[in-house]
């Protein structure tokens, strides 16, 4: 009798343990890392939105995505645009965007002067906010905290910015247009940013989430990283095609797309942070910011609801040069070594435009590490160079999407 009781007792313990292990991924956990930053909200400086008029020149930051903190005249023909960050310390990614025009046609010198950073983004000019040309000729000041260039101005406004301006409204227009594709759902609001802007997600798949393996796509935690967002757009456009590959892919997989994780930062013209002054890609351990709280809660609860789980997370960013941050051999995800094989496959397709690959440790609370810690999922940070030409961004992103689907079906 005693033996039987002992058996039952151990069986019970084993059952409980199995249940605990099985459901663990459906409870959002907090994680500890060796390299962390405090992600409690901080104060930020809001830029004053106004129309500046200096002599016969106008400068304007009254639109979403703008950044211009002051506009002054330095001498007869030189005007200065002051660019300051939302708060400090901050990553050296001095974003700027503004409109400029003149009462009469003229040619002026424009100086971009940065506080707390050196020059980074090539200036670009647009007559319509859609088509952008790079201003290739400019001069630096002594310590690279300012650049100057010649600019013909006229009565019609021109946009000057560090990258093409893609704000939250532009993103929503794209999402609405995507939803007309066979596989793509309507945008769904999964939460609100610190300033109350909607956080959207879309599902791309063949209807029923049940029994599917999930691929999660993220973008724009960091506002100026527009080239990474462009890559995401081309990547998603490929996933939205109706062809033999996607038809096979959506039998087994579903894609969850979170295209704009930091809408406040994007619309407020931030260099890096959200409206609470925090780098969102350092908050994937304690979820103190509403944007990361919402996206992680959604992923965990939606996975639980359909009894599915993410097997791959891809987060699109920009940095100085194209690079794929993947896991090294010591990580054993549910798709062991997938990103290594995937990125090699992309390189083969787009040769000779190979991308540097860098194993990146598990030291920081970034999204890539969260996918692994929470779900044992494979993950990658897809980094696009600040000045990678659009045709190369497109070529690589299309190859990445096709190769990913093809390989996942065979993995
Ligand atoms: Zn980034």
């Amino acid at each position: 009798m005693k033996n039987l009781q002992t058996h039952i007792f151990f069986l019970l313990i084993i059952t409980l343990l199995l249940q605990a292990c099985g459901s663990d991924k459906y409870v959002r956990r907090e994680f500890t890392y060796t390299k962390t930053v405090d992600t409690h909200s901080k104060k930020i400086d809001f830029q004053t939105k106004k129309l500046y008029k200096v002599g016969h020149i106008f400068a304007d930051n009254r639109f979403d995505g703008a950044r211009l903190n002051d506009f002054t005249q330095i001498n007869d023909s030189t005007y200065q645009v002051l660019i300051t960050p939302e708060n400090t310390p901050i990553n050296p990614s001095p974003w700027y965007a503004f409109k400029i025009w003149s009462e009469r046609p003229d040619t002026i010198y424009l100086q971009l002067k940065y506080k707390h950073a050196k020059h980074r983004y090539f200036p670009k000019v647009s007559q319509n906010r859609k088509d952008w040309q790079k201003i290739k000729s400019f001069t630096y000041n002594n310590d690279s905290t300012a650049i100057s260039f010649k600019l013909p101005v006229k009565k019609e406004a021109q946009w000057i910015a560090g990258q093409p301006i893609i704000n939250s409204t532009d993103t929503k227009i794209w999402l609405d247009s995507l939803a007309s594709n066979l596989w793509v759902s309507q945008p769904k609001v999964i939460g609100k940013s610190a300033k109350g802007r909607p956080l959207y997600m879309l599902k791309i798949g063949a209807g029923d989430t049940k029994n599917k393996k999930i691929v999660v796509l993220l973008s724009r935690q960091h506002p100026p990283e527009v080239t990474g967002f462009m890559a995401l757009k081309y990547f998603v456009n490929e996933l939205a095609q109706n062809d033999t590959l996607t038809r096979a892919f959506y039998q087994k997989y579903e894609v969850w797309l979170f295209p704009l994780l930091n809408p406040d930062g994007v619309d407020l013209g931030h260099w890096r942070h959200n409206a609470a002054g925090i780098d969102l890609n350092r908050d994937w351990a304690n979820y103190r910011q509403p944007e990361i709280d919402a996206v992680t809660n959604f992923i965990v609860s939606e996975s639980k609801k359909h009894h599915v789980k993410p097997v791959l997370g891809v987060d699109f960013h920009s940095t100085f040069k194209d690079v794929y941050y993947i896991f090294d051999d010591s990580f054993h995800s549910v798709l062991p070594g997938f990103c290594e094989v995937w990125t090699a496959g992309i390189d083969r397709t787009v040769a000779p435009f190979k991308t540097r690959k860098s194993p990146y440790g598990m030291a920081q609370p970034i999204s890539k590490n969260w996918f692994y810690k929470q779900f044992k999922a494979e993950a990658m940070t897809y980094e696009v160079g600040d000045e990678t030409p659009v045709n190369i961004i497109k070529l690589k992103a299309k190859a990445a999407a096709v190769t990913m689907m093809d390989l996942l079906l065979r993995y």
Side-chain angles (χ1 to χ4, degrees), residues 199-224:
L199 300 167
Y200 291 107
M201 83 80 66
L202 280 81
K203 283 187 179 180
I204 313 174
D208 195 354
T209 303
K210 207 177 142 206
N211 296 327
K212 301 282 165 50
K213 292 174 183 169
I214 308 302
V215 174
V216 179
L217 307 178
L218 311 172
S219 185
R220 281 200 109 179
Q221 297 196 70
H222 299 144

Side-chain angles (χ1 to χ4, degrees), residues 345-411:
I346 306 170
D347 278 351
R348 269 197 304 279
T349 315
V350 302
F353 303 106
K354 284 195 171 180
T355 301
R356 190 168 67 88
K357 209 179 299 198
S358 182
Y360 206 75
M362 192 59 76
Q364 290 180 307
I366 62 175
S367 70
K368 171 173 148 285
N369 295 344
W370 183 79
F371 286 110
Y372 181 79
K373 290 215 175 199
Q374 179 72 39
F375 296 106
K376 279 275 180 287
E378 185 79 3
M380 176 163 93
T381 312
Y382 187 118
E383 297 268 9
V384 180
D386 292 335
E387 303 301 334
T388 302
V390 176
N391 60 325
I392 304 295
I393 296 175
K394 187 174 178 176
L395 183 77
K396 286 187 178 181
K398 283 182 75 166
V402 170
T403 313
M404 179 195 79
M405 288 188 281
D406 186 50
L407 267 176
L408 280 176
L409 284 170
R410 292 187 282 124
Y411 218 72

Side-chain angles (χ1 to χ4, degrees), residues 166 170-171 173-175 177-178 219 226-240 257 259 316 393 397-398:
I166 304 177
D170 302 320
T171 307
I173 291 169
W174 173 59
L175 296 181
S177 75
L178 259 185
S219 185
V226 175
T227 56
F229 178 74
M230 289 175 175
L232 171 89
K233 276 180 86 170
Y234 292 123
F235 190 93
V236 167
N237 286 344
E238 206 58 34
L239 298 182
L257 167 65
F316 289 79
I393 296 175
K398 283 182 75 166

